[in-house]
Amino acid sequence: MDIRIGELSNPHVIKLLQAHHNDMLKHSPVESVHALDVSKLTQPDITFYSLWIDNNLAGVGALKALNTTHGEIKSMRTSSSYLRQGIAAKLLTHIIEQATLRGYKKLSLETGTAKAFLPAQKLYTQFGFKECEPFGDYEVDPYSLFMSKGL
């Protein structure tokens, strides 16, 4: 297993991010989809991670700095051939470790409310995230569930 920073020009990463965005659009209206495209993931306040197994892309995730003490998890996605193999948990563990190393006191995320998002909600709950009010620039939205955890 190899977790790399960047790789946003890698065609496998681009394909997975496009699939992620397209899947979000199946379950939420466009105005409620907060998945970031490649250009937004290259912003200086975002660190993008890709997890590789034997040089095969297994999953992606990102950590966005909201301020000096608060981070946000973005663009978590597991490649379809690696589902239910603990990839999301490995990425989430890595992102939480990185947030802690940065000195963040709080880590938050936005995920969907549709049935398709239940596995993600379960994973985040297992890692200690609890439902919270919208944070950052988010607003109340019936298609969004906001979660945070103290670090």
Side-chain angles (χ1 to χ4, degrees):
M1 181 184 79
D2 179 26
I3 296 178
R4 304 175 190 167
I5 293 176
E7 298 286 331
L8 282 160
S9 61
N10 185 301
H12 298 290
V13 170
I14 293 168
K15 184 178 178 182
L16 182 58
L17 289 170
Q18 288 171 337
H20 177 59
H21 189 75
N22 291 339
D23 192 45
M24 298 303 99
L25 289 170
K26 290 179 188 173
H27 304 289
S28 303
V30 68
E31 65 273 8
S32 297
V33 173
H34 303 287
L36 299 178
D37 64 18
V38 172
S39 67
K40 291 190 174 120
L41 287 167
T42 62
Q43 299 300 314
D45 60 342
I46 296 177
T47 305
F48 182 81
Y49 303 99
S50 54
L51 189 150
W52 301 80
I53 298 174
D54 297 326
N55 282 320
N56 294 306
L57 180 63
V60 297
L63 177 58
K64 178 179 181 179
L66 297 176
N67 59 47
T68 58
T69 61
H70 191 183
E72 178 183 4
I73 296 171
K74 298 294 294 181
S75 300
M76 286 280 296
R77 185 66 174 211
T78 301
S79 299
S80 60
S81 57
Y82 287 94
L83 289 173
R84 288 172 284 292
Q85 295 181 34
I87 300 303
K90 286 181 171 83
L91 271 168
L92 187 54
T93 298
H94 182 76
I95 291 171
I96 292 168
E97 288 171 355
Q98 295 304 305
T100 302
L101 288 171
R102 290 182 184 188
Y104 293 166
K105 303 296 181 210
K106 186 177 189 180
L107 192 56
S108 301
L109 62 93
E110 179 274 340
T111 190
T113 57
K115 187 176 180 179
F117 296 97
L118 289 177
Q121 293 173 15
K122 181 180 177 185
L123 174 71
Y124 296 132
T125 299
Q126 289 171 342
F127 273 77
F129 287 85
K130 298 189 184 323
E131 193 170 337
C132 67
E133 294 297 315
F135 57 90
D137 294 332
Y138 291 107
E139 296 179 7
V140 172
D141 182 336
Y143 294 93
S144 290
L145 174 68
F146 304 99
M147 302 179 85
S148 286
K149 102 178 233 140
L151 300 177

